[in-house]
Amino acid sequence: MNYAELLAGLELDMPSGDARIRVGDDWGQGRTLFGGLQTAIAVEALRPQVPDDAPLRVLQATFIGPVPPGEVRVSTRILRRGSSAMQGEARLCDADGNTQCLVLAVFGKARPSSLAFHPTAPAVRPAAESNRFPYIEGLTPKFTRYFQMALAEGQYPFMSAPEPRTRTWVRHTDPAPTSLAHLIATADTIPSPALSMLKKPAMASSLTWTLELINPRCDFDPQADWLMDAEVTAGGDGYLNQTATLFNPAGEAAAYSRQTVVVFG
C-alpha cells in the first residue's frame, strides 16, 4: 500500500479529536514504525482542527517507545488558539493508553513582515548521476522500499567515511500528488550520516525530532527528487546531534531538521 493510500485510511472522530489507522509491517523501521510516518499521522490527525490559512510552521516529536504495526491510536488536543498561531498536541498510544510518540505542532497564519530569507540548494551531482541506495531484504529498513534515494555526496552507511556528512536525493515512489505529509516523511527518510563512519552494521534510533517548515510548497511532480543536506554536528556516549536542510525540487529550502539520534555501535 503506497503512502497516500495508507494515510487515506486515517479514521477521524471529530468531536473527541481522536483518530485511528491500521499500518502494515511493510512500513517498519526495526521494532517500530517509520518515524516520519508516525509524525505525519499525528499532523494529519490535528490538521482538521486548524484553519486552512494557518499552515504548519514547526513540529517537535519525541519517540518514547516502539509503535508496532497494526492499529495505531491517536489522541489530539488544541493547546492554544491565538490570533495568528495555534499549538496542538498529538499522541500515538497503545491499547492501554500509554504514549508511544508525542508530537507538538505549531500552525501559523502569515504575518506582515519586511524580513525574508530564501536559502538555496548547494551544487551537487544530479540524482540521475548519483549512487542509488539498494533495497536489501532483511538489512535495509522495510519502509525504504517506498522511497528512492541516491547519494550525491558522502558515503553509504558502514563504509568508514572520514566525516559524518551526506547529501542525498530522495523521493517517494508514491504516484499520488505531493502533500505536506509527503514532505514530512521525506525529511526523515535518510540514514544518519554518522552510520557512514562505522565499519560494520549498527542500529540507530531517533529520540527527538524538530522540523521547522521554511517553505511548505508541495506543487511538484511526484517523481521529482528532493535534496537532503545532512551532518552530525556533535556526539558522544552514543548520543548524536544531527542537523539537515531539505531542499525542494526547485532548489528552495523547504525545511530544517534537527534530531537527537542514539547509535548502538
Side-chain angles (χ1 to χ4, degrees):
M1 183 181 296
N2 68 39
Y3 192 69
E5 292 172 340
L6 175 63
L7 290 179
L10 183 68
E11 300 177 12
L12 299 169
D13 182 350
M14 290 307 297
S16 69
D18 292 344
R20 63 181 59 198
I21 186 172
R22 181 161 291 277
V23 184
D25 65 0
D26 52 332
W27 282 94
Q29 185 176 11
R31 295 187 300 142
T32 189
L33 295 178
F34 167 44
L37 174 61
Q38 294 182 42
T39 309
I41 289 171
V43 173
E44 289 289 290
L46 276 169
R47 186 71 244 188
Q49 304 174 58
V50 180
D52 291 339
D53 61 348
L56 180 66
R57 301 291 178 176
V58 183
L59 65 81
Q60 297 172 315
T62 300
F63 302 104
I64 299 167
V67 179
E71 184 177 82
V72 178
R73 303 184 182 191
V74 190
S75 174
T76 71
R77 62 174 177 151
I78 298 299
L79 302 174
R80 184 177 185 275
R81 296 180 186 270
S83 58
S84 297
M86 292 180 57
Q87 300 191 43
E89 172 191 282
R91 294 174 180 265
L92 276 60
C93 304
D94 63 17
D96 296 323
N98 299 310
T99 301
Q100 299 163 305
C101 174
L102 170 63
V103 175
L104 300 177
V106 180
F107 303 86
K109 299 179 182 179
R111 305 168 185 254
S113 176
S114 61
L115 298 176
F117 305 95
H118 303 287
T120 56
V124 297
R125 287 185 296 174
E129 299 174 12
S130 298
N131 300 317
R132 286 276 299 274
F133 277 74
Y135 178 77
I136 305 172
E137 190 70 35
L139 179 62
T140 312
K142 292 182 179 179
F143 81 90
T144 59
R145 73 186 70 190
Y146 293 107
F147 295 86
Q148 286 191 9
M149 290 183 283
L151 198 61
E153 291 186 11
Q155 295 188 28
Y156 291 131
F158 321 124
M159 296 293 289
S160 301
E163 61 177 359
R165 178 157 194 172
T166 57
R167 287 173 170 166
T168 309
W169 293 104
V170 59
R171 66 175 174 86
H172 289 256
T173 58
D174 184 2
T178 304
S179 66
L180 174 64
H182 284 86
L183 187 160
I184 291 171
T186 299
D188 192 41
T189 302
I190 67 166
S192 171
L195 295 181
S196 65
M197 297 186 69
L198 298 179
K199 298 179 180 179
K200 60 182 180 180
M203 298 294 295
S205 177
S206 295
L207 284 180
T208 65
W209 182 32
T210 298
L211 189 66
E212 303 168 7
L213 279 296
I214 306 167
N215 178 2
R217 176 185 169 193
C218 293
D219 57 336
F220 297 102
D221 186 324
Q223 301 302 307
D225 293 285
W226 299 59
L227 180 66
M228 198 70 171
D229 185 358
E231 66 176 328
V232 172
T233 54
D237 299 324
Y239 297 86
L240 305 174
N241 303 104
Q242 182 174 314
T243 184
T245 304
L246 177 66
F247 295 94
N248 66 29
E252 305 159 339
Y256 289 134
S257 171
R258 310 176 197 279
Q259 290 181 295
T260 303
V261 179
V262 176
V263 175
F264 302 93

